[in-house]
Amino acid sequence: MTTCITGTGLYIPPYSISNEELVTSFNQYVDNYNEQHAEEIASEAIPALQHSSAEFIEKVSGIKSRYVMEKEGILNPEIMAPVIAHRDMDKELSVMAEMGTAALLAALKDAGLEPNDLDGIILACSNFPRTYPALSIEIQNGIGMVGGFAFDMNVACSAATFGIAQAHGLIVSGLAKRVAMVNVEITSAHLNWRNRDSHFIFGDVATACIIEDLDTPKGYEVLNAKLFTQFSTNIKNEYGFMDRSEYLAAGTGMYPDIKEPVTNKLFLQNGRKVFREVCPKVSEIITEHLQANDLQADEIKMMWLHQANANMIDLILRTVVGKDADKAIAPSVIAEFANTSSASPMIVFHRYKDSLKSGDLGVICSFGAGYSIGSVLVRKV
């Protein structure tokens, strides 16, 4: 029997924000802030905030737009966050479960399967709407899957490759025959839209793929995976259930008095360090993975890479395949979607999986906070 990826699904949110729209909102916030703090800025007690520009964003990231689940709140200079109403789980699917359900149903259709053909669901992403019940189990209920199991896992932007590896392991161990791996990201909610260095990075999306054990292979055979983690605080998001206790411990008042989240607990990164430290390690992991399987870099026909930054994608491609590598080997969707964390390599895989011929080798690779890096070798059947 052979473990194969047989179907993929993609859910795209209803709204898109261009760089130009985002910059207009951000610059208005900057002007309002500088006006409100004019005396402190004049006395050099605090620095003035600086404008952003669409050209700056595209140059440093390759991003031109991003999809989001809610647009008005993000673009309102007085709010600058998505305004998404809470849903009663006893009456309807949560927003993230609704997104994941849509992506998973699309993947099942692509694979020619029904919900009850699944044995398990792995929900692998960066952010969850709650600690429990698991979002994966809510999605299990949302698609009408009776029996089997579901669980959540978090390896930040590397969650998809780690999730595929776990699905492959469940199948090899005999615990399951068919497993869905789902990625749901509302990264717009964990982003500090008032931070000039990162306010443009993320977008929302949901993806899913089906991994099956087959007598007659189809789709993409999963050869194996290589996983790596190393502790770093250069990418972090500390917002969590301990905030109430930490707030009270600080002696600053009662928790209900908080009007908005503490922004230094939202997404933060040291972009320059991440670039310098992560890119070489990703290239090293992929190269080692190929060597362990007696494969050469020139055998790679496509690399479906995490869409963190266009410059990172280009550098990893050139380091692994060669400085003259065809950029078509590492297709990009970052201009349209921005960084969608765990879902990003799966968007590229979904969009470009039909580009290869039978026997062609590909690499699904993700990297991000942790640090965490995952490489999955696949071959087109």
Side-chain angles (χ1 to χ4, degrees), residues 9 18 24 27 83 120 213 225 288 297 301 317 328 353:
S18 68
T24 297
N27 289 349
V83 181
D213 193 5
E288 289 178 351
K301 300 304 179 183
L317 169 65
K353 66 179 180 178

Side-chain angles (χ1 to χ4, degrees), residues 115-138:
N116 285 325
D117 291 327
L118 293 174
D119 298 306
I121 298 172
I122 299 173
L123 192 286
C125 60
S126 289
N127 297 288
F128 299 96
R130 57 184 179 268
T131 305
Y132 46 79
L135 181 60
S136 57
I137 301 175
E138 188 183 4

Side-chain angles (χ1 to χ4, degrees), residues 154-156 158-159 161-162 226-232 281 285 366-374:
N154 184 343
V155 200
S158 281
T161 53
F162 278 66
K226 183 177 178 64
L227 309 178
F228 170 86
T229 56
Q230 174 184 305
F231 184 70
S232 170
K281 194 63 182 180
I285 292 294
S366 60
F367 44 90
Y371 294 133
S372 56
I373 301 169

Side-chain angles (χ1 to χ4, degrees), residues 173-350:
S173 69
L175 286 173
K177 184 175 177 63
R178 295 187 183 94
V179 179
M181 194 281 297
V182 184
N183 321 103
V184 184
E185 297 289 6
I186 303 184
T187 53
S188 61
H190 87 170
L191 183 59
N192 181 1
W193 294 90
R194 295 172 177 174
N195 183 322
R196 183 179 183 272
D197 290 338
S198 62
H199 75 107
F200 52 85
I201 291 178
F202 289 107
D204 303 338
V205 82
T207 54
C209 69
I210 309 299
I211 300 101
E212 300 187 65
D213 193 5
L214 299 173
D215 293 315
T216 304
K218 65 177 181 177
Y220 277 86
E221 178 186 359
V222 178
L223 303 181
N224 53 53
K226 183 177 178 64
L227 309 178
F228 170 86
T229 56
Q230 174 184 305
F231 184 70
S232 170
T233 58
N234 286 326
I235 311 172
K236 62 181 181 178
N237 176 355
E238 297 183 271
Y239 200 56
F241 81 98
M242 289 292 290
D243 287 351
R244 177 177 59 177
S245 296
E246 293 172 1
Y247 183 83
L248 292 172
T252 55
M254 294 301 293
Y255 182 74
D257 293 336
I258 297 178
K259 303 302 181 189
E260 61 179 333
V262 180
T263 54
N264 66 4
K265 289 218 168 195
L266 298 175
F267 172 81
L268 286 171
Q269 78 167 2
N270 185 326
R272 291 179 179 83
K273 276 193 173 182
V274 171
F275 192 96
R276 290 197 308 266
E277 296 173 2
V278 171
C279 288
K281 194 63 182 180
V282 172
S283 301
E284 178 186 323
I285 292 294
I286 295 174
T287 300
E288 289 178 351
H289 196 189
L290 292 169
Q291 292 172 348
N293 287 271
D294 296 321
L295 297 167
Q296 302 299 316
D298 59 9
E299 295 182 66
I300 299 174
K301 300 304 179 183
M302 193 159 288
M303 299 171 70
W304 301 282
L305 298 175
H306 171 44
Q307 306 289 292
N309 180 290
N311 298 315
M312 294 180 82
I313 294 169
D314 184 57
L315 178 57
I316 292 166
L317 169 65
R318 289 188 287 108
T319 304
V320 173
V321 180
K323 63 180 182 179
D324 298 320
D326 183 355
K327 288 191 175 184
I329 294 174
S332 175
V333 297
I334 194 169
E336 177 185 356
F337 285 87
N339 181 342
T340 52
S341 194
S342 67
S344 75
M346 304 314 298
I347 300 173
V348 192
F349 183 76
H350 175 79

Side-chain angles (χ1 to χ4, degrees), residues 360-371:
D360 283 350
L361 177 72
V363 181
I364 303 172
C365 181
S366 60
F367 44 90
Y371 294 133

Side-chain angles (χ1 to χ4, degrees), residues 15-47:
Y15 306 105
S16 179
I17 298 176
S18 68
N19 285 350
E20 289 75 15
E21 289 177 291
L22 192 62
V23 165
T24 297
S25 171
F26 179 82
N27 289 349
Q28 184 60 60
Y29 161 73
V30 168
D31 290 342
N32 293 348
Y33 177 92
N34 288 344
E35 182 179 349
Q36 292 168 8
H37 299 85
E39 292 185 7
E40 297 161 283
I41 292 170
S43 66
E44 298 184 350
I46 60 172

